[in-house]
Amino acid sequence: MDKTLYRNPYFMIYLTGIFISGLGSKLTTIALADKIFSLTGSGTYITLVYLLQGLPALFFGLIAGHLVDRHSKKAVFIMINGALALLSTLLAMADHPLILFAVVFLIGMADAFYSPVSTALLPLLVGRKQLASANGLKISVIGVNMIIGYAVAGLFVGFWGHTLPFIVDSFSYLFIACSAFFLKLSADHPEDVLENKGHFKESLMFIKNQPVIRRLFLIDLLTQFIIALQIPLTYIFVSEYLGGKDVMADRTGILFSAAGAGMALGGLFLKKFAQRNKLRLLSHALIFDSIFVFAFTLNRFFPATILIYGAMGVIGAFMGSLLETAVQENTPQQMIGRVSGFIHSIADPVSILSLLIGSLLVQFINVQWIFLICALAECVTGIYFTLRKGVTLQSRK
């Protein structure tokens, strides 16, 4: 890891915000599920909440990215965190399911801005040569959040109920917004973005005509669909093959914590591969991940499964930070918001759709076969892009 990053106070402020925001989001996730169940008496509506939160990205992702590119990234980042602070407070106050669902939809709209502004902000905080290390460290922090976040959130909601967590999350967003006032960016003033007057058509044409971005988008889309399909099915797999219903919740939690530990470790590896062809690395990572998914599906010894899930977390972190870095390096600074917004506008809804498809498939197909199909799909995708020639990933100077 590049030690100069730790001496960059602005990047450390950004990273602290990622950590605090992650903890707050875990609190909201657990508290929201608890509140929906208490208001409706049915867990079915929890799926509806995921749909409502993910749906706005489909319609507003590109618009959000366009606005991020046209305005100060710092100002947009502050305003989005301020809006999320207000919406978290409204979640605490909502006393009717329809009001709750409306607020969740608004949070989804704000989230549509969060991904592109966060992606566009990072290159203005660190040098281009440090992007790989910065993204790796960022995803490592997300992994640490995954290890401790849900455990802390579960205890917090169990002890204090579902109202206080929303207030705590609101203050976390306020803290991030206030901290962002102190960020010093390399270029983030109106005069730096006035030249960027392209419309949506030009943005889409850029993505279409850039083979690197196009292939990155396809890999991200396929990966999001395949991996998201597996997440809810892990509970069923543990119940049927790794101990039974009595230990399902505990063992699944252990597996997700192992994946978080793997993410925390995997993000630190990216620096070593910063100068490699990232498209080729992504393809190879897919193949390796498919091998571990095969191993997970066939293994029945739970301690070994923990190690396998940890390895999958390492690869997942590596792939996530690779994708983020590749987009930042191969897109002009004035278009990063739109490119990121477009990718998330498709990939995020696909992930939610994949969750629903997985829930339906398990009614007709044995869960073990679904995992095997996912592993095969990953392997074929990785081999396909490994064999494709003529496109390399080169950093823009």
Side-chain angles (χ1 to χ4, degrees):
M1 186 59 62
D2 192 338
K3 293 182 180 180
T4 59
L5 284 174
Y6 297 103
R7 296 195 291 269
N8 183 336
Y10 310 112
F11 174 68
M12 297 312 295
I13 290 174
Y14 172 85
L15 206 61
T16 302
I18 295 290
F19 179 74
I20 293 174
S21 173
L23 292 179
S25 296
K26 301 297 184 296
L27 279 174
T28 291
T29 299
I30 301 298
L32 188 57
D34 186 72
K35 186 163 187 173
I36 290 169
F37 190 80
S38 68
L39 288 176
T40 65
S42 171
T44 305
Y45 289 98
I46 296 174
T47 302
L48 177 60
V49 165
Y50 285 118
L51 282 173
L52 287 173
Q53 192 165 350
L55 197 60
L58 179 62
F59 300 104
F60 299 107
L62 189 55
I63 297 173
H66 187 77
L67 293 173
V68 166
D69 285 336
R70 292 294 303 273
H71 298 88
S72 165
K73 315 296 184 294
K74 177 178 174 178
V76 174
F77 187 70
I78 291 171
M79 286 189 290
I80 292 301
N81 278 287
L84 287 168
L86 175 61
L87 291 170
S88 293
T89 303
L90 291 178
L91 282 179
M93 298 170 60
D95 57 359
H96 191 278
L98 290 179
I99 298 175
L100 197 67
F101 294 149
V103 176
V104 167
F105 185 81
L106 292 175
I107 290 175
M109 290 180 63
D111 285 340
F113 283 85
Y114 211 96
S115 292
V117 73
S118 181
T119 302
L121 193 65
L122 190 59
L124 302 177
L125 291 170
V126 303
R128 286 268 170 170
K129 293 182 179 180
Q130 295 178 308
L131 279 173
S133 294
N135 279 312
L137 192 55
K138 173 182 172 181
I139 206 162
S140 292
V141 168
I142 293 173
V144 172
N145 262 326
M146 188 172 175
I147 298 171
I148 65 175
Y150 286 118
V152 171
L155 292 172
F156 197 99
V157 173
F159 192 78
W160 279 290
H162 55 240
T163 300
L164 186 59
F166 296 128
I167 302 300
V168 173
D169 195 21
S170 177
F171 276 103
S172 75
Y173 283 120
L174 281 177
F175 173 82
I176 296 165
C178 293
S179 299
F181 276 104
F182 299 97
L183 294 178
K184 183 178 180 181
L185 309 182
S186 59
D188 191 39
H189 303 288
E191 57 267 23
D192 297 314
V193 296
L194 282 176
E195 63 181 38
N196 183 25
K197 296 180 180 179
H199 298 291
F200 299 124
K201 183 178 179 180
E202 285 79 0
S203 304
L204 292 173
M205 289 302 295
F206 171 82
I207 296 169
K208 179 182 177 181
N209 294 328
Q210 290 290 324
V212 167
I213 300 299
R214 191 169 62 249
R215 290 193 187 183
L216 285 171
F217 170 67
L218 288 174
I219 291 179
D220 188 37
L221 200 63
L222 290 167
T223 304
Q224 291 274 12
F225 182 84
I226 293 169
I227 293 177
L229 191 70
Q230 302 170 31
I231 294 173
L233 300 183
T234 301
Y235 291 92
I236 300 172
F237 189 89
V238 170
S239 175
E240 293 188 6
Y241 296 104
L242 292 172
K245 293 183 179 180
D246 292 341
V247 297
M248 179 185 68
D250 292 340
R251 290 198 168 186
T252 305
I254 291 171
L255 291 181
F256 288 153
S257 294
M263 287 181 65
L265 182 62
L268 302 178
F269 286 139
L270 187 58
K271 171 65 177 176
K272 299 181 182 297
F273 300 93
Q275 303 305 317
R276 303 282 186 88
N277 184 320
K278 295 181 180 61
L279 190 57
R280 183 65 58 85
L281 287 172
L282 281 169
S283 304
H284 291 169
L286 273 173
I287 296 172
F288 276 107
D289 194 57
S290 71
I291 294 171
F292 285 112
V293 176
F294 272 120
F296 169 77
T297 307
L298 300 175
N299 177 67
R300 298 292 180 268
F301 183 53
F302 185 70
T305 304
I306 297 173
L307 296 177
I308 292 169
Y309 231 82
M312 290 163 65
V314 171
I315 296 174
F318 186 72
M319 291 174 63
S321 50
L322 268 177
L323 280 165
E324 189 98 343
T325 304
V327 168
Q328 291 164 336
E329 290 181 344
N330 291 273
T331 306
Q333 178 62 47
Q334 67 269 24
M335 295 192 72
I336 289 179
R338 274 171 287 179
V339 172
S340 175
F342 174 79
I343 291 174
H344 284 284
S345 71
I346 306 298
D348 291 352
V350 162
S351 296
I352 296 171
L353 179 63
S354 179
L355 290 171
L356 295 176
I357 291 174
S359 300
L360 292 174
L361 282 178
V362 78
Q363 306 299 321
F364 307 100
I365 305 174
N366 184 277
V367 66
Q368 184 179 22
W369 281 104
I370 297 176
F371 273 103
L372 288 173
I373 292 168
C374 288
L376 181 62
E378 278 192 90
C379 187
V380 170
T381 303
I383 292 173
Y384 172 78
F385 282 103
T386 297
L387 296 177
R388 289 293 299 269
K389 304 293 184 182
V391 177
T392 58
L393 288 155
Q394 301 293 336
S395 300
R396 288 181 174 267
K397 304 297 182 184

